[in-house]
C-alpha cells in the first residue's frame, strides 16, 4: 500500500516537497512494473507517474553536478531548496517575468496605436500590390487569391472592439484616396545637352513659354529638329523622361499637316502576319498590328481552316461615305419642306452637280433626311474612290449647304455634322443603312477541318453561335455586336494599314452566322459587316510603315484600274480576316481552350511588380 501524502497539514511549498520526497522513497524501493500497474493506484496513478519521471530528471541533474565537481571545477553552493525549472533561466524568475511582461505589453500597445491611427487616417490596412491587382478575365489561377482577399475583407469588417476586447471606436474603412500631388512641388529637371547653342536657346525659350511649341515646325523649317526640341522642352517642363519613346527613325515631314501635330516621337506596335487568307481565289498575307497575345496566332488558325476548305468568298454590296449636317428653321413646316425638296428624285441631278464639283472622286449617291421638330438632319451618301472619304464628303456637303442658302435663306446651319452621319460612335443608322463599305464574307468549312484544325465539331459551333453571338448579344442589347471579336481583327488591320483607329467602332459592326450544311456535315460560316470605313489614300495610309503593309496586300495608294478598287478590296480583306478570327475564337470557346491558350500566349512570366514607373 502506498502511504497517502498528507496534503492538509502542509503549506503549499511544503506540500510539493513532502509529496515528492514520499514518492521518491517509494520509487526507490518499488519495482517499476509495480509502479506502472494501474490497478491499485488509480486515479492517482497518473499523477504519481509524472512525479516519478520529474524526479528521475532531477536526479540526473544532480549526477551531472557531481561529475563536474569531480572534474576539478569549484564545487557548487549547496542548494537549500529543491531545484526548479526556473533555475535554468539566466535571470531570477521575477526579473524574467517582469522583462517578458514589459515587452509583451509594449508591443501590444504599439500595434494597437498604429492600427487605430490607420483607421483614423483611412489608411488601408492591407496594401494591394501590383501583382495582386493585375488580375484579368483569364486569371483563373488567381481565383483562390480572390477568395482569400474576400475572407481577409470580412475579417477586417468585424468589430475591432469585439475581436480585441478593447474599446477602440469602430471607424468605417473608406478606400484610400490617391496621393495628392503638390502643385508647388517642382520635378527635378531632366536636361539633355543640345547639339548646338542655338537649339539650347530655343529649348529654353519653349520652356519659358516665349516660343509656342506648335510653331516650331514653321519657325525652324525642319520637322525632325522641331520634334527634338519640343521633346527636350517637354522633359524639362514635366521632369519626366521620355526614354523608350523613340525619336530617331521616323519621317516627321510625312505627318506634317496631315497626321499628327506637335510630335515628340512615335509609339511602336509590333506587326504580326496571318495567312495565306484565301479569298476570292487570291492569297493574301494580312498584317496585324497588335499587342494582344494570341490574336495573330488565333486568326492564323482561322486562315488555315479557310484555306484547307477551299477558301472564302467576299462580296461588297454597298460603298458610300456619309455626312449629316443639322440645320434649323423657324418652323417644323419649313424643315419638312426642305426634306421634301432634298429627297425628291427630280432634284437629285442638280444637287449632284453641286455636290460633286469639289472632287474628282466624291460622287453623290443619295440623301436621307430625319426631322426633329424644327431641325433637319440631312444624311448625304457619296462614293469616295480609294479615300476613306470624310474630307471629300464634307466638302461636297458644304457645297450643297451653300447652294441651299439661295432657296432656303431662313435655313440656319447649326453644324456640318449633326451625328446622324454617324462617325466614330455606335449608332443604329450605320448598322442598318451602312457606312463606308458593306461586305459579306462566307466560307464552307469541311467537317474534317473543323475537327482537325479547329478541334471542335460543327454542331457545337452552330449551337455556340446561336447562344452567344445571336441570343447572348440580343440579351445584352448589342448594337451591331453580334459577333465574337470582330473589333480585334478590325483594329489590328486598321493600325497596320494606316486607317483611322477611332472608326473601328462602326467598322466592327458584324453579325456572324453559322449553319450546318451538306446534310449537317459541314459548316457554313459568314460575317456581314455593313460599315467598314477604309481607304488606301489619304490620312495615315501614306506613312512609310502603313504604306508597306498596304503594299503587302497589293492595295497601296490609288487604284490604277478603277477608282476605289483598292479601298473596296481592302474592306473585303478586312471582312475575310474577321471571318478567320471568328472561326478560330468560336472554335476555341466551343472546345474550352480559350483560357489555356491565353495563358500560353497572352501572359508573360515577367514580374510586373519589378517594373517601376
Ligand atoms: P479623306 O477624304 O479620306 O479624308 P483625303 O481628302 O485626305 O481623304 O484624301 C483624298 C485625296 O486623295 C483627295 O485629294 C483626292 O483627290 C486624292 N486622290 C487621288 N487618287 C484618289 C483615288 N483613287 N481615290 C480617292 N482619292 C484620290
Amino acid at each position: 500500500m502506498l502511504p497517502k501524502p498528507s496534503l492538509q497539514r502542509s503549506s503549499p511549498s511544503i506540500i510539493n516537497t513532502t509529496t515528492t520526497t514520499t514518492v521518491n522513497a517509494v520509487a526507490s524501493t518499488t519495482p517499476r512494473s509495480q509502479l506502472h500497474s494501474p490497478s491499485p493506484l488509480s486515479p492517482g496513478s497518473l499523477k504519481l507517474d509524472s512525479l516519478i519521471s520529474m524526479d528521475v530528471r532531477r536526479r540526473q541533474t544532480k549526477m551531472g553536478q557531481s561529475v563536474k565537481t569531480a572534474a576539478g571545477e569549484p564545487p557548487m553552493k549547496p542548494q537549500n531548496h529543491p531545484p526548479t525549472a526556473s533555475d535554468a533561466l539566466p535571470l531570477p524568475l521575477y526579473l524574467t517575468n517582469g522583462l517578458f511582461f514589459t515587452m509583451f505589453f509594449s508591443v501590444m500597445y504599439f500595434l494597437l496605436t498604429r492600427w487605430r491611427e490607420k483607421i483614423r487616417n483611412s489608411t488601408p490596412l492591407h496594401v494591394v500590390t501590383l501583382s495582386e491587382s493585375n488580375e484579368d478575365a483569364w486569371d483563373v489561377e488567381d481565383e483562390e487569391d480572390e477568395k482569400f482577399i474576400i475572407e481577409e475583407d470580412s475579417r477586417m469588417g468585424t468589430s475591432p472592439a469585439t475581436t480585441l476586447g478593447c474599446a477602440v471606436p469602430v471607424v468605417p474603412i473608406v478606400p484610400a484616396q490617391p496621393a495628392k500631388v503638390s502643385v508647388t512641388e517642382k520635378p527635378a529637371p531632366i536636361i539633355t545637352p543640345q547639339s548646338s547653342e542655338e537649339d539650347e536657346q530655343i529649348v529654353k525659350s519653349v520652356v519659358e513659354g516665349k516660343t509656342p511649341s506648335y510653331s516650331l515646325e514653321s519657325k525652324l523649317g525642319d520637322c525632325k529638329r522641331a520634334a527634338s526640341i519640343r521633346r527636350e522642352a517637354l522633359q524639362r517642363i514635366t521632369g519626366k523622361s521620355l526614354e523608350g519613346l523613340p525619336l530617331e527613325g521616323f519621317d516627321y515631314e510625312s505627318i506634317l499637316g496631315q497626321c499628327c501635330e506637335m510630335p515628340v516621337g512615335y509609339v511602336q506596335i509590333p506587326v504580326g502576319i496571318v495567312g495565306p487568307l484565301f479569298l476570292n481565289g487570291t492569297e493574301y498575307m494580312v498584317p496585324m498590328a497588335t499587342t494582344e497575345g494570341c490574336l495573330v496566332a488565333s486568326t492564323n488558325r482561322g486562315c488555315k481552316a479557310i484555306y484547307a476548305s477551299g477558301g472564302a468568298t467576299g462580296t461588297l454590296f454597298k460603298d458610300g461615305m456619309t455626312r449629316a449636317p443639322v440645320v434649323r428653321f423657324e418652323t417644323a413646316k419649313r424643315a419638312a419642306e426642305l426634306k421634301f425638296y432634298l429627297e425628291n428624285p427630280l432634284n437629285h441631278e442638280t444637287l449632284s452637280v453641286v455636290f460633286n464639283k469639289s472632287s474628282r472622286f466624291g460622287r453623290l449617291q443619295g440623301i436621307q433626311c430625319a426631322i426633329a421638330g424644327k431641325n433637319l438632319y440631312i444624311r448625304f451618301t457619296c462614293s469616295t474612290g480609294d479615300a476613306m472619304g470624310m474630307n471629300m464628303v464634307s466638302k461636297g456637303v458644304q457645297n450643297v449647304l451653300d447652294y441651299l442658302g439661295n432657296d432656303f435663306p431662313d435655313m440656319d446651319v447649326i453644324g456640318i455634322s449633326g451625328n446622324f452621319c454617324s462617325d466614330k460612335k455606335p449608332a443604329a443608322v450605320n448598322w442598318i443603312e451602312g457606312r463606308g463599305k458593306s461586305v459579306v464574307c462566307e466560307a464552307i468549312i469541311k467537317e474534317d477541318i473543323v475537327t482537325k484544325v479547329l478541334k471542335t465539331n460543327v454542331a457545337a459551333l452552330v449551337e455556340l453561335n446561336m447562344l452567344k453571338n445571336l441570343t447572348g448579344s440580343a440579351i445584352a442589347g448589342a448594337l451591331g455586336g453580334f459577333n465574337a471579336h470582330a473589333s480585334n481583327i478590325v483594329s489590328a488591320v486598321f493600325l497596320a494599314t494606316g486607317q483611322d483607329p477611332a472608326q473601328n467602332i462602326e467598322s466592327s459592326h458584324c453579325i456572324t452566322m453559322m449553319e450546318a450544311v451538306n446534310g449537317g456535315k459541314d459548316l457554313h460560316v459568314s460575317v456581314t459587316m455593313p460599315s467598314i470605313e477604309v481607304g488606301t489614300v489619304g490620312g495615315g495610309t501614306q506613312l512609310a510603315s502603313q504604306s508597306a503593309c498596304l503594299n503587302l496586300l497589293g492595295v497601296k495608294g490609288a487604284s490604277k484600274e478603277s477608282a476605289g478598287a483598292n479601298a473596296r478590296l481592302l474592306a473585303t480583306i478586312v471582312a475575310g480576316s474577321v471571318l478567320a478570327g471568328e472561326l478560330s475564337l468560336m472554335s476555341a470557346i466551343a472546345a474550352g481552350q480559350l483560357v489555356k491558350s491565353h495563358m500560353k500566349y497572352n501572359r508573360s512570366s515577367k514580374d510586373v511588380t519589378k517594373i517601376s514607373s
Side-chain angles (χ1 to χ4, degrees):
M1 274 288 283
L2 281 173
K4 275 189 191 162
S6 164
L7 299 178
Q8 285 89 346
R9 280 183 286 119
S10 315
S11 67
S13 59
I14 299 167
I15 291 171
N16 286 339
T17 322
T18 319
T19 314
T20 316
T21 318
T22 318
V23 173
N24 280 350
V26 175
S28 56
T29 52
T30 316
R32 261 195 106 71
S33 58
Q34 213 178 316
L35 284 172
H36 281 274
S37 166
S39 53
L41 299 173
S42 185
S45 61
L46 272 177
K47 240 192 239 170
L48 180 65
D49 213 333
S50 60
L51 288 168
I52 289 167
S53 59
M54 274 171 63
D55 189 60
V56 169
R57 281 199 300 276
R58 282 178 200 164
R59 271 188 279 136
Q60 277 169 354
T61 316
K62 281 177 185 167
M63 276 169 70
Q65 282 171 0
S66 61
V67 169
K68 274 184 190 169
T69 315
E73 285 179 21
M76 293 184 75
K77 281 183 186 170
Q79 291 181 325
N80 54 5
H81 64 87
T84 57
S86 60
D87 291 347
L89 296 171
L91 291 170
L93 183 62
Y94 74 94
L95 274 181
T96 313
N97 284 345
L99 192 71
F100 273 103
F101 276 113
T102 315
M103 276 173 63
F104 175 75
F105 283 114
S106 319
V107 169
M108 282 302 289
Y109 177 77
F110 171 73
L111 288 175
L112 281 171
T113 45
R114 226 172 100 80
W115 174 66
R116 195 162 56 172
E117 273 312 300
K118 278 189 168 190
I119 287 177
R120 279 190 183 153
N121 301 337
S122 305
T123 312
L125 297 181
H126 170 73
V127 180
V128 179
T129 61
L130 189 55
S131 60
E132 283 171 334
S133 65
N134 190 36
E135 290 165 15
D136 61 18
W138 313 122
D139 213 344
V140 285
E141 282 176 359
D142 295 345
E143 272 172 22
E144 283 305 309
D145 293 350
E146 273 175 31
K147 226 188 328 171
F148 176 70
I149 289 165
I150 291 163
E151 280 166 15
E152 196 174 59
D153 284 351
S154 67
R155 278 201 307 275
M156 279 160 35
T158 55
S159 160
T162 352
T163 44
L164 296 174
C166 58
V168 178
V170 183
V171 182
I173 299 169
V174 284
Q177 299 299 312
K180 279 181 192 147
V181 179
S182 166
V183 212
T184 50
E185 217 174 83
K186 281 252 189 252
I190 294 175
I191 296 170
T192 316
Q194 292 303 289
S195 54
S196 68
E197 183 52 35
E198 193 192 351
D199 282 6
E200 180 59 35
Q201 290 310 316
I202 303 170
V203 169
K204 282 184 180 156
S205 172
V206 174
V207 171
E208 287 162 11
K210 290 178 187 157
T211 302
S213 176
Y214 64 79
S215 68
L216 287 170
E217 275 79 2
S218 58
K219 281 206 165 92
L220 300 172
D222 179 344
C223 292
K224 163 77 191 308
R225 193 173 157 215
S228 172
I229 287 171
R230 178 179 297 115
R231 179 190 175 93
E232 178 59 21
L234 179 66
Q235 292 189 131
R236 291 188 194 182
I237 291 165
T238 61
K240 301 270 192 255
S241 169
L242 286 178
E243 195 191 342
L245 182 78
L247 173 73
E248 302 296 331
F250 192 80
D251 179 8
Y252 293 92
E253 312 288 336
S254 67
I255 58 170
L256 185 66
Q258 181 140 22
C259 293
C260 180
E261 300 75 39
M262 299 197 278
V264 291
Y266 59 97
V267 165
Q268 298 159 299
I269 305 175
V271 176
I273 200 82
V274 301
L277 172 68
F278 196 25
L279 182 65
N280 293 341
T282 307
E283 293 178 16
Y284 299 97
M285 298 303 292
V286 185
M288 293 174 70
T290 182
T291 52
E292 186 185 354
C294 209
L295 179 60
V296 174
S298 174
T299 313
N300 198 43
R301 180 172 79 146
C303 289
K304 187 178 173 187
I306 292 171
Y307 193 97
S309 301
T313 306
T315 309
L316 186 141
F317 57 90
K318 206 168 181 181
D319 178 11
M321 183 41 71
T322 63
R323 178 56 96 199
V326 50
V327 297
R328 186 171 56 193
F329 288 90
E330 284 297 312
T331 61
K333 185 169 180 288
R334 280 295 283 162
E337 279 170 15
L338 179 56
K339 174 180 162 67
F340 297 143
Y341 172 82
L342 291 170
E343 290 180 347
N344 187 342
L346 297 176
N347 297 325
H348 181 76
E349 201 178 329
T350 314
L351 291 170
S352 292
V353 171
V354 175
F355 185 98
N356 297 346
K357 70 179 182 195
S358 54
S359 169
R360 285 182 292 148
F361 303 96
R363 293 288 170 265
L364 184 67
Q365 294 173 348
I367 299 172
Q368 185 187 6
C369 296
I371 285 185
K374 303 184 295 175
N375 308 297
L376 187 68
Y377 295 82
I378 315 163
R379 194 171 190 256
F380 292 85
T381 308
C382 78
S383 56
T384 57
D386 288 309
M388 178 275 288
M390 282 306 298
N391 286 330
M392 213 176 273
V393 67
S394 299
K395 282 185 210 161
V397 166
Q398 191 58 57
N399 296 340
V400 174
L401 290 177
D402 293 345
Y403 171 79
L404 289 175
N406 301 325
D407 288 344
F408 295 86
D410 52 339
M411 179 183 78
D412 187 5
V413 178
I414 303 298
I416 185 91
S417 169
N419 273 9
F420 186 40
C421 316
S422 177
D423 195 39
K424 303 175 184 176
K425 293 164 281 285
V429 69
N430 296 335
W431 172 234
I432 297 164
E433 297 289 331
R435 189 168 196 253
K437 278 80 174 144
S438 306
V439 183
V440 60
C441 194
E442 65 191 321
I444 292 177
I445 310 299
K446 299 207 174 78
E447 185 185 26
D448 61 324
I449 305 299
V450 173
T451 318
K452 284 183 196 143
V453 178
L454 300 173
K455 313 275 189 245
T456 182
N457 61 71
V458 173
L461 277 173
V462 171
E463 185 185 41
L464 178 67
N465 190 68
M466 194 265 285
L467 292 177
K468 173 185 163 67
N469 288 342
L470 306 183
T471 316
S473 294
I475 291 222
L479 202 169
F482 300 92
N483 58 78
H485 70 147
S487 71
N488 255 337
I489 293 93
V490 170
S491 301
V493 178
F494 268 37
L495 287 173
T497 59
Q499 310 305 313
D500 188 336
Q503 288 182 323
N504 92 86
I505 292 174
E506 55 269 38
S507 298
S508 300
H509 285 344
C510 169
I511 184 163
T512 299
M513 305 288 290
M514 289 187 184
E515 202 181 306
V517 292
N518 300 336
K521 277 197 323 145
D522 302 334
L523 176 78
H524 182 275
V525 55
S526 68
V527 292
T528 307
M529 304 180 67
S531 44
I532 303 177
E533 297 162 353
V534 289
T536 58
V537 297
T541 63
Q542 41 89 34
L543 301 178
S545 318
Q546 292 83 338
S547 185
C549 290
L550 287 170
N551 192 42
L552 179 71
L553 292 170
V555 294
K556 182 181 161 186
S559 166
K560 290 188 179 71
E561 284 87 48
S562 129
N566 276 355
R568 286 194 285 272
L569 178 53
L570 179 58
T572 313
I573 292 170
V574 168
S577 307
V578 168
L579 187 78
E582 288 289 280
L583 252 183
S584 186
L585 177 58
M586 289 295 285
S587 302
I589 296 173
Q593 299 167 332
L594 184 67
V595 174
K596 220 189 287 169
S597 57
H598 266 82
M599 294 309 287
K600 186 174 172 192
Y601 290 104
N602 206 5
R603 294 293 299 265
S604 164
S605 56
K606 271 183 206 155
D607 183 359
V608 285
T609 55
K610 298 223 169 73
I611 301 167
S612 58
S613 60

